[in-house]
Amino acid sequence: MQLLRFISINSLAITMLLGFACLTLFFSGFLDFPSAFSSISLLSKSGSNSLGAYGKWDSQVGCYQFRQKHAALMKNNGSVSVQDVFGEVKCSVMRMKHVSILVKGKTWLPDNLDNLYSCRCGLSCLWTKSPVLVDKPDALLFETTTPPLRRKYGDPLRVYLDLEPGRRRSGVEDIFISYHAKDDVQATYAGGLFHNNRNYQLSSSKNDDILVYWSSSRCLPRRNKIAKRLLSLLPHHSFGKCLNNVGGRNKALSLYPECVKFNPPKWWDHLHCAMSHYKFVLSIENTETESYVTEKLFYALDSGAVPIYFGAPNVWDFVPPHSIIDGTKYRSMEELASYVKALANDPIAYAEYHAWRRCGVLGNYQKTRAASLDTLPCRLCEAVSKRDGTNGTPF
């Protein structure tokens, strides 16, 4: 009887010691059990906590060192790729106190731009697609249709917008808007109005098994070629139509049900939320054109992922310091894939790609956001006011 009691007591002690050891290993991070609140993917079930990685980076590097490292970029670095909309404005050159813009014809501009704005120098700006609200506009804005060939004295100014890579002028506009700083008014793809209706619920954990998110439904040969070469070297989820490997274009809605916003779901409402589960997002522009930096890159930044970017050669003039991986700077896809894998396994190095937003080191990104579609109404109204609207010289 005493022997049995001795064995029982020792078995209990051994069990307690083993349990204590497991708890110690778990809290030290050596053992990583899946959280009950982690998103469960049919193809990827493990994830690392982003907040934990940030904490490690804070203790080993920190914002002070990051700011010192990028001190030069925290100020205006002299780039001419983005118009300086922060510059001083002489209110005396404003010849109108109120400007109305009427958007004409089919356009990709979001409806949520329609509003009455209070701008600099006491200027009020009405931007609308409704002729009911503005029967005598000061300017007409066209995007997919050509403005009138002639403008008589008293007619509205003609504004033409083209955000496509070719940025072709209509040839008859008074004011031209594009993504390029050399044109009359610049509108970058940064900002929030391009994606106001998206689900912004972001995951606090990142997939460890599946590293890269990609989604494309325009299977352009050049873009497909780049994606196919890189993704063949990295574990990835490819949504959309092109190179799909998840079993359907709407698979993200079943992989991440928390990302569904509308009922019935829209193909685009889950975009940021789904991206946020991945450490990297592959962002490939349609063309490699100077200053043509589109929502493909800014969506990824907004989702809390690190973009792997192929596109504009001057992309660093538009993004925060140390925020993206420029795929064109690597000698081969194999070298790029090796770097991505190594970065994914280094929490400190990976967290540094997110330090810009945590430490307020934005660099030229401040100018990029300020020159975005979000601020276009006031900036266009200012340009119309300087030309005195319908009283300006006809062309």
Side-chain angles (χ1 to χ4, degrees):
M1 194 70 178
Q2 289 181 346
L3 179 61
L4 289 174
R5 184 181 298 173
F6 175 80
I7 293 173
S8 176
I9 292 172
N10 277 276
S11 297
L12 179 62
I14 291 170
T15 301
M16 292 177 65
L17 285 172
L18 286 173
F20 179 76
C22 286
L23 284 172
T24 302
L25 289 171
F26 173 73
F27 285 114
S28 68
F30 187 82
L31 292 180
D32 188 15
F33 298 118
S35 167
F37 299 99
S38 298
S39 296
I40 304 299
S41 163
L42 298 179
L43 302 177
S44 175
K45 294 184 179 180
S46 64
S48 54
N49 188 281
S50 299
L51 300 178
Y54 297 157
K56 291 179 180 179
W57 183 85
D58 286 339
S59 63
Q60 297 189 30
V61 183
C63 285
Y64 176 79
Q65 290 190 46
F66 190 75
R67 292 192 189 102
Q68 292 294 107
K69 183 178 180 180
H70 299 288
L73 295 178
M74 292 176 68
K75 303 174 183 178
N76 183 358
N77 64 5
S79 169
V80 294
S81 297
V82 185
Q83 291 179 354
D84 185 8
V85 302
F86 289 135
E88 291 185 11
V89 59
K90 293 182 178 179
C91 295
S92 59
V93 303
M94 299 290 180
R95 304 178 68 179
M96 305 170 65
K97 288 297 183 183
H98 176 76
V99 172
S100 57
I101 308 290
L102 178 61
V103 181
K104 297 283 287 184
K106 183 180 178 181
T107 175
W108 294 106
L109 292 170
D111 292 338
N112 50 16
L113 264 181
D114 286 26
N115 210 336
L116 178 63
Y117 297 85
S118 179
C119 309
R120 298 185 295 183
C121 300
L123 175 68
S124 59
C125 172
L126 177 62
W127 175 294
T128 181
K129 292 180 180 178
S130 173
V132 175
L133 297 181
V134 53
D135 59 325
K136 292 183 178 181
D138 299 298
L140 302 175
L141 188 151
F142 301 85
E143 182 180 5
T144 59
T145 54
T146 304
L149 296 179
R150 294 186 178 277
R151 181 177 69 83
K152 296 181 293 186
Y153 186 85
D155 286 348
L157 290 177
R158 299 160 299 177
V159 181
Y160 188 66
L161 179 146
D162 184 5
L163 297 182
E164 294 301 316
R167 68 183 231 277
R168 296 179 180 86
R169 291 175 176 265
S170 70
V172 294
E173 74 278 342
D174 303 298
I175 298 174
F176 181 56
I177 303 171
S178 86
Y179 59 85
H180 203 284
K182 290 183 179 179
D183 295 316
D184 298 326
V185 180
Q186 184 180 25
T188 69
Y189 281 83
L193 286 179
F194 266 123
H195 43 82
N196 247 15
N197 292 324
R198 299 283 162 81
N199 184 337
Y200 274 86
Q201 178 178 331
L202 303 184
S203 173
S204 62
S205 64
K206 301 285 188 183
N207 290 337
D208 283 332
D209 298 333
I210 307 298
L211 298 182
V212 182
Y213 171 105
W214 192 57
S215 179
S216 176
S217 292
R218 288 189 64 197
C219 305
L220 303 177
R222 171 189 159 273
R223 191 163 62 191
N224 254 27
K225 183 178 179 181
I226 294 173
K228 189 173 183 179
R229 286 176 59 199
L230 180 62
L231 295 178
S232 67
L233 303 170
L234 292 168
H236 66 280
H237 280 171
S238 179
F239 300 94
K241 180 181 176 182
C242 311
L243 307 178
N244 188 290
N245 73 339
V246 293
R249 297 175 66 177
N250 293 320
K251 194 66 175 180
L253 300 177
S254 57
L255 290 179
Y256 309 111
E258 71 273 22
C259 294
V260 178
K261 182 175 182 180
F262 296 106
N263 189 18
K266 304 291 192 298
W267 69 267
W268 41 262
D269 68 359
H270 64 275
L271 188 67
H272 288 84
C273 180
M275 281 182 178
S276 72
H277 291 78
Y278 300 83
K279 291 182 177 179
F280 306 96
V281 170
L282 180 58
S283 303
I284 309 174
E285 303 288 9
N286 295 350
T287 64
E288 291 184 0
T289 303
E290 180 189 273
S291 298
Y292 186 62
V293 183
T294 73
E295 77 285 350
K296 296 177 182 65
L297 175 60
F298 296 118
Y299 283 171
L301 283 177
D302 288 347
S303 74
V306 175
I308 305 171
Y309 183 75
F310 291 85
N314 60 333
V315 63
W316 285 108
D317 289 343
F318 293 84
V319 296
H322 200 70
S323 61
I324 72 170
I325 299 172
D326 186 351
T328 64
K329 302 304 181 185
Y330 292 81
R331 291 172 294 183
S332 67
M333 289 295 183
E334 289 75 15
E335 182 181 73
L336 172 57
S338 295
Y339 176 75
V340 170
K341 289 177 182 177
L343 185 62
N345 289 320
D346 187 337
I348 306 299
Y350 180 78
E352 185 143 343
Y353 275 85
H354 299 279
W356 60 271
R357 70 166 67 84
R358 301 179 66 245
C359 302
V361 182
L362 304 184
N364 251 21
Y365 190 52
Q366 283 184 302
K367 292 172 62 178
T368 306
R369 297 287 296 225
S372 73
L373 193 69
D374 296 12
T375 64
L376 178 60
C378 272
R379 293 186 291 118
L380 177 57
C381 282
E382 287 180 6
V384 172
S385 178
K386 291 175 184 177
R387 294 178 183 236
D388 204 16
T390 59
N391 295 319
T393 305
F395 288 82

